[in-house]
Amino acid sequence: MADNDGRDPLDIKKDNATLEYAPLEDPFRFSERPTEWHQEFNQKLLRKIDLRMLPLLSYMFLMNYLDRSNLAQAELGGLNEALGLHGTQFNTATSILFIGYLLMQLPSNLIFTRLRPAIYLPTVMIIWGVISGCQAATKNFGGLLATRFLLGFAEAPYFPGAVYLMSTWYTRSELSKRFAYFYAGPALANMFGGLLAAGVLRNMDGYRGLQAWRWLFIIEAIMTLSVAVFAFFVLPNFPQTTTWLSEEERAYAAWRIASDIGEASERDAEEQTKRSLFHAAKIAVMDYRTWIFVLMQHCVLLSQTVTFFFPSVVDTLGYDNITTLLLTAPVWVATFLLNLFVLWSASRTNERCLHLCLSMLLTIIGNIMLITIHLRGPRFLGMFFMAMGAQPAFMIILTWMSNTFPRPLGKRAAVTALINMIGNTSNIYGSYLYPSSAAPQYIFGGATIAGVGVLCICLAVVVRFILVNENKKLDEIERAGVSAAPGLTVTDRERKDLARTGFRYMY
């Protein structure tokens, strides 16, 4: 598309070794405002965004994770005996949730770019809350399989949708810290879930003729539905379409993201409506970096599989069921605190590779301790490390991915969905790494997780070298112009945008 005098608005001209670029859309002339004004206005805007979005998204994620992982607590409450489960049937019931989860990931995230988040996310939350509550009515293995499959299908849209929504509101440097608060959900869910399960299993068995594990599903489903109804009235939409900001605040919210990633959100939204969903998926699939991130995320998610069996792993310490559930709480408190620290540090330093490697190293150490040590105290410490390392690594990959695929929005949505969709296939077979017959050492599972941890570290180092090289090529573009930029491993359109804005990858 050309401007009024026929020139390409992205045209770059060389003048005394500097480049001049067509400015981003700036109707309020934000680029002309003084630095002091930007600091004050940006701080006020971020405060509004944080209060409106972060607590609610985090709590919704807490319930999302709680409803998918509560099967582990129900097992200690007699679910296996009540439904007649034997062999690896419990592992299959855990695994099948992720088949439904995977089937819905990519379609949901591509559709999400055309829908209102304030309607879509609470709606899917209501659906999964109802299905989660239906688990209380199951009578046999078949019924449990059906509800778990449907639960995975209904839960799939939330996580990639929430991550994508946050990436449209926060700059790259802001995302790590916000993801730290957001991803507090799983750690708090496991901590809260263990405490809630201990109370329910101790006090509600036989209440109104129902077994305690059935009450666990019912209570958590009611909590989920309550949060979903509240979210309808509070959850924001995209910056350009939200109604709780002034016109100037909406424009500034979009402008600062455009300035950060080098592409006006309004223009990208217009293009997104013109291009097919297939096109967004195609350009994501054709970028080789997508598949490196997919494999890294696959390794990290496989290392998190123990989350769904953690009460059973802790049960090998030899305590009674209630004590076992209570012992899971401090592990997840420590995981929550480490999450905040690691992602705060990654945000402050704008560093990704080292933080990811150190997190995975902690997981490797924990799994080695699990399979080699028999003493109760050191084994429990190893369980701490198993849980603590994998969770911050997961969120570092997501923030790294958002930094690496800033545009277009459709491609970013497709990459997010692909990374999580294929990454979560690990949970299908990972659910069989911890069969009851392998207790108490879980040698095969622990050795497998330690091995994929090493692979993940190697991949992170590879990505770092790739992005360092990409930044060197971008430096060459700014010195010589777009036409003299051979070998850049991004599309021509991305190449122009990156050169126009001075964008650099974080690593």
Side-chain angles (χ1 to χ4, degrees):
M1 183 173 64
D3 57 15
N4 291 335
D5 62 3
R7 293 178 300 171
D8 186 343
L10 295 179
D11 183 46
I12 302 176
K13 66 180 182 179
K14 195 172 180 181
D15 182 16
N16 296 326
T18 62
L19 297 174
E20 295 178 4
Y21 310 108
L24 297 168
E25 295 183 21
D26 189 5
F28 284 86
R29 299 185 180 276
F30 294 126
S31 58
E32 300 176 8
R33 306 288 180 92
T35 301
E36 294 77 11
W37 182 90
H38 280 285
Q39 291 176 344
E40 182 179 354
F41 195 85
N42 192 66
Q43 186 177 17
K44 291 180 179 178
L45 180 63
L46 275 178
R47 189 180 299 116
K48 284 187 177 182
I49 297 171
D50 287 342
L51 291 176
R52 185 89 178 196
M53 182 183 298
L54 280 182
L56 181 57
L57 286 179
S58 298
Y59 194 57
M60 292 172 74
F61 193 25
L62 185 153
M63 297 311 305
N64 180 275
Y65 212 83
L66 189 62
D67 286 339
R68 97 175 58 159
S69 61
N70 53 15
L71 200 64
Q73 286 91 24
E75 181 188 25
L76 293 183
L79 177 141
N80 287 352
E81 294 77 12
L83 302 186
L85 304 186
H86 56 83
T88 60
Q89 286 185 333
F90 178 82
N91 302 80
T92 301
T94 301
S95 172
I96 199 169
L97 179 143
F98 295 97
I99 296 177
Y101 192 87
L102 296 177
L103 291 175
M104 190 58 182
Q105 279 267 305
L106 184 57
S108 173
N109 225 38
L110 292 175
I111 295 170
F112 184 79
T113 60
R114 299 186 176 189
L115 298 176
R116 295 176 58 190
I119 300 297
Y120 187 51
L121 294 181
T123 298
V124 298
M125 190 174 190
I126 287 177
I127 295 173
W128 95 58
V130 171
I131 296 172
S132 181
C134 289
Q135 294 177 101
T138 54
K139 303 295 183 182
N140 50 46
F141 178 56
L144 182 63
L145 281 184
T147 54
R148 296 295 292 180
F149 173 80
L150 293 175
L151 180 62
F153 198 83
E155 284 197 346
Y158 179 73
F159 179 77
V163 170
Y164 173 68
L165 175 62
M166 292 174 68
S167 71
T168 67
W169 281 95
Y170 294 110
T171 65
R172 293 176 297 145
S173 61
E174 295 163 354
L175 273 175
S176 290
K177 187 183 297 183
R178 271 70 187 183
F179 276 150
Y181 293 118
F182 172 67
Y183 204 61
L188 293 176
N190 286 305
M191 177 194 70
F192 179 70
L195 296 176
L196 177 63
V200 172
L201 298 184
R202 173 180 289 174
N203 300 310
M204 297 194 68
D205 193 32
Y207 180 70
R208 294 188 177 272
L210 295 179
Q211 294 159 299
W213 65 267
R214 298 185 189 274
W215 278 115
L216 185 63
F217 289 131
I218 293 171
I219 291 171
E220 292 179 357
I222 292 173
M223 293 168 57
T224 298
L225 294 174
S226 300
V227 176
V229 172
F230 179 73
F232 272 114
F233 301 97
V234 178
L235 193 67
N237 290 302
F238 298 119
Q240 301 89 345
T241 57
T242 194
T243 59
W244 49 275
L245 294 176
S246 67
E247 183 179 357
E248 183 181 28
E249 288 172 330
R250 288 197 298 272
Y252 189 77
W255 177 84
R256 70 191 204 95
I257 298 300
S259 299
D260 182 60
I261 67 174
E263 182 172 356
S265 299
E266 293 87 353
R267 183 184 67 191
D268 192 61
E270 181 181 352
E271 287 184 357
Q272 184 65 28
T273 61
K274 295 178 181 178
R275 297 188 175 189
S276 66
L277 300 179
F278 174 77
H279 175 75
K282 180 180 177 181
I283 60 175
V285 168
M286 292 179 64
D287 192 328
Y288 76 96
R289 297 170 301 174
T290 300
W291 301 105
I292 301 178
F293 276 92
V294 164
L295 187 53
M296 278 200 299
Q297 190 73 306
H298 190 91
C299 292
V300 171
L301 285 171
L302 183 61
S303 69
Q304 286 189 0
T305 306
V306 70
T307 300
F308 304 106
F309 301 90
F310 200 68
S312 298
V313 174
V314 177
D315 192 44
T316 62
L317 296 176
Y319 297 103
D320 63 81
N321 289 345
I322 302 301
T323 302
T324 295
L325 289 170
L326 293 175
L327 283 175
T328 63
V331 175
W332 299 114
V333 171
T335 301
F336 167 69
L337 295 176
L338 184 65
N339 261 344
L340 295 181
F341 173 76
V342 170
L343 294 180
W344 169 82
S345 176
S347 176
R348 184 178 179 86
T349 61
N350 284 331
E351 199 283 332
R352 302 291 182 264
C353 180
L354 180 60
H355 287 82
L356 175 59
C357 292
L358 291 178
S359 297
M360 289 308 297
L361 181 61
L362 191 62
T363 294
I364 293 170
I365 294 172
N367 278 277
I368 292 175
M369 291 176 68
L370 177 72
I371 65 179
T372 59
I373 297 175
H374 297 271
L375 296 176
R376 178 181 284 176
R379 275 178 59 81
F380 191 40
L381 179 62
M383 294 172 191
F384 267 82
F385 293 162
M386 290 169 63
M388 291 170 64
Q391 291 211 1
F394 176 75
M395 290 312 301
I396 289 173
I397 289 179
L398 284 181
T399 58
W400 205 0
M401 176 273 299
S402 297
N403 300 152
T404 306
F405 303 95
R407 71 180 75 81
L409 292 181
K411 177 183 178 181
R412 192 197 315 167
V415 170
T416 301
L418 280 171
I419 288 174
N420 285 282
M421 180 179 68
I422 301 177
N424 272 289
T425 59
S426 62
N427 290 302
I428 296 175
Y429 67 88
S431 298
Y432 295 93
L433 292 177
Y434 300 94
S436 57
S437 58
Q441 299 302 119
Y442 297 105
I443 294 176
F444 179 75
T448 300
I449 300 305
V452 299
V454 173
L455 175 60
C456 185
I457 290 174
C458 294
L459 290 171
V461 174
V462 169
V463 171
R464 187 184 190 281
F465 278 109
I466 289 173
L467 297 183
V468 167
N469 189 50
E470 292 287 356
N471 281 347
K472 290 180 180 178
K473 291 180 179 180
L474 290 175
D475 291 338
E476 294 175 3
I477 292 174
E478 289 198 354
R479 288 193 299 267
V482 172
S483 60
L488 189 65
T489 53
V490 291
T491 64
D492 289 341
R493 177 57 183 274
E494 287 177 304
R495 184 182 302 175
K496 289 183 177 182
D497 284 343
L498 292 173
R500 177 173 64 90
T501 61
F503 173 90
R504 292 297 181 272
Y505 294 101
M506 294 181 182
Y507 48 81

